[in-house]
């Protein structure tokens, strides 16, 4: 009888051990990050990729699938991402199913500086390096560098926010005295803007001139359009 009981106890014991082992493993896994998910704001061009973000987190021992949730520092994850040259803002949080979610908004270039060194000017007026993943279609900015890029920012920023100007202006050139000249798409004439002041007034005058000259089929007859006087447009014919 005792022999039979011993035979019965052994399978029960093995089942119990297996159950406890499985329970412990399941509980341990529930304490770990199951996946790292990178989400970019919809519609943005990828100046940095999901693969690059994951690699950054792994290389800095900040986050990876399988890491214990208790040692995961979300503030450090956000700080690391926000210090990336291509990222404007990042948020990190854990979902209920154990996934580390990162929501990333990238920096947005509004102009590309061309000269001894090349870089972008972003929408906040800061220097932004070029991306190896994507080249932005923005106006070229000449005659400035990182030390005086702020002189061109108000003008480039205004152009970027205006659909008509974005469609027609391809270049911004800084001249001596912090004055500017604009390059037009598909048109021969130069637009002399003068200093980056009274910007809205000058561009409103330019739009009125452009509309009238287009109606009169005279756009091709000009070689220079001068906006520096603010309240008027002075044109020079070919």
């Amino acid at each position: 009888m005792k022999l039979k009981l011993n035979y019965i106890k052994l399978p029960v014991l093995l089942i119990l051990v297996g159950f406890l082992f499985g329970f412990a493993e399941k509980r341990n896994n529930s304490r770990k990050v199951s996946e790292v998910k990178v989400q970019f704001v919809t519609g943005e061009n990828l100046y940095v990729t999901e693969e690059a973000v994951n690699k950054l987190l792994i290389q800095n021992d900040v986050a990876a699938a399988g890491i214990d949730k208790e040692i995961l520092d979300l503030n450090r994850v956000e700080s690391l991402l926000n210090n990336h040259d291509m990222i404007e803002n990042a948020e990190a949080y854990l979902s209920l199913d154990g996934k580390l979610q990162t929501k990333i908004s990238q920096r947005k270039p509004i102009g590309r500086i061309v000269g001894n060194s090349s870089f972008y000017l972003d929408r906040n007026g800061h220097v932004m390096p070029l991306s190896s993943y994507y080249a932005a279609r923005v106006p070229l900015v000449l005659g400035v560098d990182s030390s005086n890029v702020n002189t061109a920012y108000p003008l480039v920023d205004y152009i970027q926010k205006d659909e008509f100007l974005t469609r027609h202006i391809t270049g911004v050139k800084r001249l001596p005295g912090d004055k500017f000249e604009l390059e037009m798409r598909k048109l021969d004439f130069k637009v002399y803007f003068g200093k980056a002041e009274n910007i809205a007034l000058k561009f409103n005058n330019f739009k009125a001139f452009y509309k009238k000259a287009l109606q009169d089929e005279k756009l091709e007859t000009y070689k220079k359009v001068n906006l520096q006087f603010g309240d008027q447009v002075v044109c020079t014919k070919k």
Side-chain angles (χ1 to χ4, degrees), residues 11-228:
V12 172
L13 183 61
L14 290 174
I15 292 171
L16 181 60
V17 170
F19 172 77
L20 291 174
F21 179 79
F23 177 77
E25 183 179 18
K26 183 177 180 181
R27 185 174 181 180
N28 185 58
N29 287 338
S30 69
R31 294 172 55 190
K32 295 183 181 296
V33 175
S34 62
E35 182 183 350
V36 179
K37 187 172 179 62
V38 179
Q39 177 187 355
F40 294 97
V41 173
T42 305
E44 289 191 345
N45 298 312
L46 294 183
Y47 300 104
V48 60
T49 64
E50 180 178 346
E51 181 183 359
V53 171
N54 279 322
K55 185 177 180 180
L56 175 68
L57 296 176
I58 292 171
Q59 286 179 339
N60 286 272
D61 297 323
V62 172
I67 192 172
D68 198 310
K69 294 177 186 177
E70 293 183 1
I71 65 173
L72 178 64
D73 187 343
L74 292 176
N75 287 331
R76 190 175 172 220
V77 172
E78 290 183 349
S79 178
L80 185 66
L81 293 176
N82 283 322
N83 285 330
H84 192 283
D85 285 336
M86 298 297 170
I87 295 175
E88 184 173 289
N89 184 62
E91 298 176 3
Y93 59 94
L94 274 172
S95 61
L96 294 175
D97 55 358
K99 294 179 181 178
L100 172 61
Q101 304 270 6
T102 60
K103 187 174 182 180
I104 294 174
S105 175
Q106 298 175 102
R107 297 173 68 184
K108 183 177 180 180
I110 60 173
R112 178 169 178 167
I113 280 69
V114 180
N116 294 330
S117 60
S118 293
F119 54 87
Y120 289 127
L121 172 65
D122 78 0
R123 59 182 166 187
N124 296 313
H126 301 141
V127 170
M128 172 182 173
L130 302 182
S131 170
S132 57
Y133 301 105
Y134 185 84
R137 296 186 63 182
V138 291
L140 299 180
V141 183
L142 297 87
V144 303
D145 54 36
S146 58
S147 67
N148 57 21
V149 70
N150 62 301
T151 61
Y153 172 68
L155 185 56
V156 179
D157 181 56
Y158 192 96
I159 292 170
Q160 185 272 329
K161 292 176 179 176
D162 186 286
E163 183 182 353
F164 173 86
L165 300 176
T166 301
R167 188 166 66 249
H168 290 289
I169 296 174
T170 60
V172 176
K173 183 178 181 181
R174 177 175 171 266
L175 305 173
D178 288 338
K179 296 183 179 181
F180 292 91
E181 187 176 72
L182 310 177
E183 292 276 351
M184 300 294 295
R185 191 189 307 276
K186 296 182 180 180
L187 290 171
D188 291 335
F189 62 76
K190 304 280 187 182
V191 177
Y192 186 76
F193 194 86
K195 290 197 172 186
E197 54 191 23
N198 299 320
I199 295 176
L201 173 62
K202 290 179 181 180
F203 274 133
N204 285 338
N205 288 340
F206 176 70
K207 289 178 183 179
F209 152 78
Y210 186 96
K211 182 178 180 180
K212 183 67 167 61
L214 182 64
Q215 290 175 345
D216 296 341
E217 298 183 351
K218 291 184 177 181
L219 282 174
E220 300 295 337
T221 66
Y222 300 108
K223 66 177 181 180
K224 185 176 181 180
V225 176
N226 194 332
L227 306 177
Q228 70 170 323

